[in-house]
Amino acid sequence: ERAYVVSTAGGEARRVAVGAYPVFSADGTSLVYVSAERGKNRGVWRLPFDTTLGTPSGAASPLTFGTGEQAGVAISHDGTKLAVASPYRSVNLEAVPFDAEGAGVRGAPVPLTRGSHRVSFFGPSPDARSVVFVDERGAASHLWRVDQGGPEPFQLTLDPEFQDTFPRWSPDGRTIAFSRRLFSCGPGSNFLTKLT
């Protein structure tokens, strides 16, 4: 996620911040956005801005502290109020007994993860006893594994320089392939790696 500015007359877009949901203050002297920089907790930041030059005129400073992830920003016309969306998202995994031959669901869901996980891409192991999944904690996403009937999920990747996603088991269940990108790089910088 990157915030860019471009002149209303056209020209090349210029990156001004690592973040999303950019909006100018009512007087145009600041750009307010949700930071996507590591360690900034997706909080709202203010960047002094010179619209004549189309460049920042100072260092960014935080406007919100420790309130969790922000997902949008709006500023009142008089510049005295700031509205911020603060979603709480918890996405967990459940296993559901299922008969693919026509009987459908054959029992109650069994939780595989509980609490404040933010599970996204996942895949069952070939023997259907484990699931590898992506969990977004803070600003990064890493791979986790949970075994049905086993202990709590455990983390498989944790390098803070990388974001990991799209895990897939090998047919023999001994290796997991996944996509990895440098945290500091934008979209299109993924490369494939594996975990054994």
Side-chain angles (χ1 to χ4, degrees):
E1 294 171 290
R2 306 290 186 262
Y4 291 83
V5 295
V6 65
S7 168
T8 56
E12 191 172 330
R14 201 176 307 167
R15 187 180 85 170
V16 293
V18 177
Y21 311 105
V23 60
F24 280 104
S25 61
D27 62 4
T29 62
S30 299
L31 186 69
V32 177
Y33 63 97
V34 173
S35 179
E37 290 185 61
R38 184 175 33 194
K40 303 264 173 96
N41 199 30
R42 296 196 66 85
V44 177
W45 285 65
R46 177 189 165 276
L47 179 67
F49 201 82
D50 183 330
T51 54
T52 305
L53 298 175
T55 60
S57 59
S61 58
L63 293 177
T64 61
F65 296 93
T67 58
E69 178 181 346
Q70 311 297 304
V73 178
I75 299 174
S76 64
H77 290 293
D78 64 3
T80 62
K81 293 179 181 64
L82 177 71
V84 180
S86 296
Y88 173 76
R89 292 181 283 177
S90 182
V91 182
N92 285 287
L93 289 172
E94 294 180 338
V96 179
F98 186 79
D99 179 359
E101 298 298 323
V105 174
R106 298 182 52 108
V110 176
L112 297 177
T113 62
R114 291 181 171 88
S116 60
H117 289 279
R118 287 184 52 197
V119 173
S120 55
F121 306 99
F122 60 91
S125 61
D127 65 6
R129 294 181 183 193
S130 300
V131 176
V132 64
F133 61 94
V134 173
D135 199 347
E136 298 175 43
R137 301 230 172 164
S141 61
H142 296 292
L143 301 186
W144 290 65
R145 175 181 169 171
V146 64
D147 300 323
Q148 215 169 15
E152 291 295 308
F154 56 95
Q155 196 166 1
L156 296 174
T157 64
L158 50 90
D159 191 326
E161 295 297 316
F162 294 98
Q163 298 226 66
D164 303 323
T165 190
F166 303 117
R168 293 293 178 257
W169 295 83
S170 63
D172 65 4
R174 295 173 54 177
T175 304
I176 298 168
F178 61 97
S179 180
R180 167 173 272 189
R181 75 177 167 93
L182 279 168
F183 191 89
S184 58
C185 293
S189 60
N190 289 348
F191 57 93
L192 188 64
T193 189
K194 70 176 183 171
L195 181 67
T196 54

